[in-house]
Amino acid sequence: MGASDPEVAPWARGGAAGMAGAGAGAGARGGAAAGVEARARDPPPAHRAHPRHPRPAAQPSARRMDGASGGLGSGDNAPTTEALFVALGAGVTALSHPLLYVKLLIQVGHEPMPPTIGTNVLGRKVLYLPSFFTYAKYIVQVDGKIGLFRGLSPRLMSNALSTVTRGSMKKVFPPDEIEQVANKDDMKTSLKKVVKETSYEMMMQCVSRMLAHPLHVISMRCMVQFVGREAKYSGVLSSIGKIFKEEGLLGFFVGLIPHLLGDVVFLWGCNLLAHFINAYLVDDSFSQALAIRSYTKFVMGVSLQIAVSMLTYPFLLVGDLMAVNNCGLQAGLPPYSPVFKSWIHCWKYLSVQGQLFRGSSLLFRRVSSGSCFALE
């Protein structure tokens, strides 16, 4: 969804975020990784020497070892693990880039192909706008296959910076150990712990978002140049110079506030909902309560993130529109978009138009009632 997706607590996302953690700019951050890092901080148990065969004295190592050495993500392996996370995130970002590219063009209101007539489940005729696959095929016809990856370079840099920032912050401000909760009473009393953990994740997400947002703005502007066939933003360094010259330092942070608000709502929504479901809907008197709670980690990791992400989608839409608004590109100027005074102005405008969820669906896109298209 943006430069970096917010991180959800390990107990809330379970294994689901292990697959989705590296996507859309959040960096690789699966639930398994959190458990591995936690185990890596604990020193391995000392082996008991045989009484008849005493263990030889340990030889000094040429490598620098710390108290948690030997585990994944700690000691000398930390740079290797971080590089692996960056590489995995880059791969997922590259694969998902055409999806985000098409979504952004739909968000700014670029509809180069006419709608088609179809029928809904009730058999009534309705107008459908082109789906993601039809839209992507059109981009290939105009710019070739390489055109589907316009704006990918700054997005890769943004996600890599976000991942490195998270790793560095975890080293400087290590999180407290999260004790495993096994019974219902402990789950009720652990709300304070959930709040503390979510606050820690919120701090990391906000800092990484702020540092990576300038690259996110450049990526958005590179992609929407498809609308007017411009070439104003071609490279990262030249784009930085143009934005600073025309808009000043604040030009790198347009659209930041709605993105931050969306991240905060997403984090707190997912973590608190997962906590209350585990605390009040899973009966610990049942013999398989622990197994059910473990299973719900995966289910909630998927369903909660989908549900909450839909609720926070307007923040993402407004943030992306503000990133390209009034920047000298056709996609950010009338008739595609008014010149917005602030992100609140943009939100109100979309709300009045009934377009706060524009681009949220890429497969079945019905023409809204206020559209200029009409059935003949």
Side-chain angles (χ1 to χ4, degrees), residues 212-358:
H213 192 74
L215 292 169
H216 174 75
V217 171
I218 294 174
S219 178
M220 297 292 104
R221 295 185 178 184
C222 288
M223 287 188 275
V224 298
Q225 289 181 137
F226 178 84
V227 176
R229 312 304 300 163
E230 298 109 332
K232 181 178 180 179
Y233 300 95
S234 56
V236 175
L237 294 180
S238 61
S239 299
I240 292 175
K242 288 178 181 178
I243 294 176
F244 184 77
K245 181 179 180 181
E246 296 178 0
E247 305 173 49
L249 189 61
L250 294 179
F252 296 104
F253 298 97
V254 287
L256 175 62
I257 294 179
H259 273 297
L260 288 177
L261 291 176
D263 291 346
V264 170
V265 174
F266 181 87
L267 275 173
W268 285 97
C270 284
N271 288 3
L272 290 179
L273 282 175
H275 168 74
F276 287 121
I277 289 175
N278 266 335
Y280 297 104
L281 297 185
V282 179
D283 189 0
D284 287 284
S285 61
F286 185 56
S287 59
Q288 300 296 326
L290 184 59
I292 293 177
R293 183 171 285 120
S294 299
Y295 175 74
T296 57
K297 289 180 181 179
F298 176 80
V299 176
M300 289 185 298
V302 177
S303 59
L304 285 182
Q305 290 194 40
I306 293 176
V308 179
S309 64
M310 286 301 298
L311 294 176
T312 59
Y313 180 81
F315 292 99
L316 171 67
L317 174 61
V318 172
D320 289 345
L321 291 183
M322 291 302 298
V324 301
N325 188 253
N326 197 26
C327 65
L329 299 178
Q330 184 175 336
L333 295 171
Y336 282 95
S337 170
V339 175
F340 299 117
K341 299 178 181 178
S342 65
W343 71 269
I344 298 178
H345 179 202
C346 179
W347 184 293
K348 291 180 178 179
Y349 173 82
L350 293 174
S351 179
V352 171
Q353 298 293 324
Q355 298 289 319
L356 275 176
F357 291 90
R358 185 171 64 193

Side-chain angles (χ1 to χ4, degrees), residues 95-103 106 113 129-139 148 361-365:
L95 291 175
S96 64
H97 188 76
L99 186 69
L100 183 140
Y101 184 22
V102 172
K103 173 179 283 190
I106 295 174
M113 294 170 286
L129 292 168
S131 66
F132 160 76
F133 300 101
T134 306
Y135 211 126
K137 185 178 180 181
Y138 171 78
I139 295 176
L148 288 173
S361 175
L362 297 179
L363 294 179
F364 303 101
R365 303 172 53 223

Side-chain angles (χ1 to χ4, degrees), residues 56-62:
Q59 297 297 325
S61 174

Side-chain angles (χ1 to χ4, degrees), residues 156-179:
L156 289 174
M157 297 172 62
S158 173
N159 290 349
L161 178 59
S162 178
T163 302
V164 172
T165 301
R166 290 177 183 276
S168 301
M169 290 189 64
K170 286 181 179 180
K171 295 176 184 177
V172 178
F173 306 102
D176 296 333
E177 292 291 342
I178 304 300
E179 299 178 0

